[in-house]
Each structure stands twice: as C-alpha cells, then as structure tokens.
Amino acid sequence: MPNYAYLRVSSDSQDTANQKHGILDYANRAGLANLQFVEDTASGAKKWHERRLGQLLSGMEAGDTIVFAEISRMARSTLQVLEILEHCMAHQLNVHIAKQNMQLDGSMQARIVATVLGLAGEIEREFIRMRTREALAARREKGIRLGRPKGPAAKLKLDAKRDQIEKYRTMGLSLRETARLIDTPPSTLADYVKRRGI
C-alpha cells in the first residue's frame, strides 16, 4: 500500500524542509517506508478539497497511508480538520500526525483527540490575531502611522540607474528598449520616468 506525506506552506517564500525532516524522523520510528511527498503552496484557510490535498485524498485507496507534519498542516479550522478525518475514515485511509506522534483510526478516541488538537490550533491563531490587533491599536493611540507613508517616495528603486536611463533616453531609445537594457519591466520604467520627469 502506498505511503504519502503531505507538505503544505502558505506562500512560495516558505519552504517545506522542517516539515519533511519531522515526517522522515517519524516515518523511521513508525516503520513507514517509500514515502511519496506531495507539496502544496496554499493557505490553510482554502477549502481542503480545492487544494492538492483534495486531489491526493480522492486518488487514495483503502489501506493507503497519509502522513501530516502536524494538525495545522491539514487545515486552519477545526471543522475542516474533522472533514478531512471523516473522509479518511470513510475511505479507510491510515492517517499519521508526525509532530504529535499519533496514528488516527476511525475510533471515537482518535476523533476526540483530533478535535481537541484542531481546536487548540484554532484558539492559538485567534489569540495571535487578537494580540496583533491590540498592538496595532496601541500604536495608533500613540500617533504612530501605520502602513506606507503618504505622499511620493523620496527614493525610488531605479534612482541608482538614473544616469543609464537618461543616457539611453537621450540616444533616442524607446522605453521598452531601455527597460531591456537595464533589466527592469517596461511598466516599472514608464512609472519611474513619469514620476521623475525624465
């Protein structure tokens, strides 16, 4: 029976190395060999069946195994975690959670544990959101501006290449040709030229 490991990150800038390490360590202890890794870049808030996880689970057969690094990698909400587990139990799929060192079967005890873990993760995320909102409110009360400063930026990214831009423009090169020579998108250059009046 195939063994799958599902790795999820929320953005391209994050990587799956820590999840992979934790899963491999767990798999060695649990005797799970030949893991097939499935990587996904999607927010946990996105419905599980709209992610690669949905495709993976729908293609698995009774007796197959799926390993998650931790409950939060399945989904952000308790409801979605329960939906995933319900799907797995209904299709007789083996579910392992590496960080919690757990194997979840269809038993009531396993469902209770998964519910508690999912709920704990959801509560933790809500506390983080509350603390962030409180910190932003405190900064506003102190008169600290949030977000980008208003008005035109004093320094622009292409200022370092201004001499080159002016030289190419004096030579009569088009914006597109100049953009290619300085390795920047034409739209960025057009905006720069407009803002600097070149």
Side-chain angles (χ1 to χ4, degrees), residues 38-99:
V38 176
E39 296 192 15
D40 199 359
T41 304
S43 165
K46 189 175 181 180
K47 300 291 185 188
W48 67 271
H49 46 80
E50 295 172 0
R51 293 187 264 130
R52 289 195 69 193
L53 176 60
Q55 298 167 14
L56 174 61
L57 292 178
S58 63
M60 292 174 66
E61 298 177 357
D64 290 354
T65 297
I66 183 165
V67 185
F68 296 94
E70 55 185 295
I71 291 276
S72 65
R73 297 299 91 197
M74 295 169 77
R76 282 191 189 164
S77 78
T78 304
L79 182 60
Q80 282 206 64
V81 169
L82 292 176
E83 283 180 12
I84 293 166
L85 291 174
E86 186 176 9
H87 174 91
C88 292
M89 299 313 111
H91 293 81
Q92 298 175 23
L93 306 178
N94 300 312
V95 180
H96 293 259
I97 314 292
K99 190 172 183 178

Side-chain angles (χ1 to χ4, degrees), residues 7-27:
L7 310 171
R8 181 184 64 78
V9 290
S10 299
S11 69
D12 292 327
S13 61
Q14 298 174 321
D15 78 49
T16 56
N18 286 342
Q19 290 179 56
K20 191 176 261 189
H21 176 75
I23 285 174
L24 286 172
D25 184 53
Y26 172 83

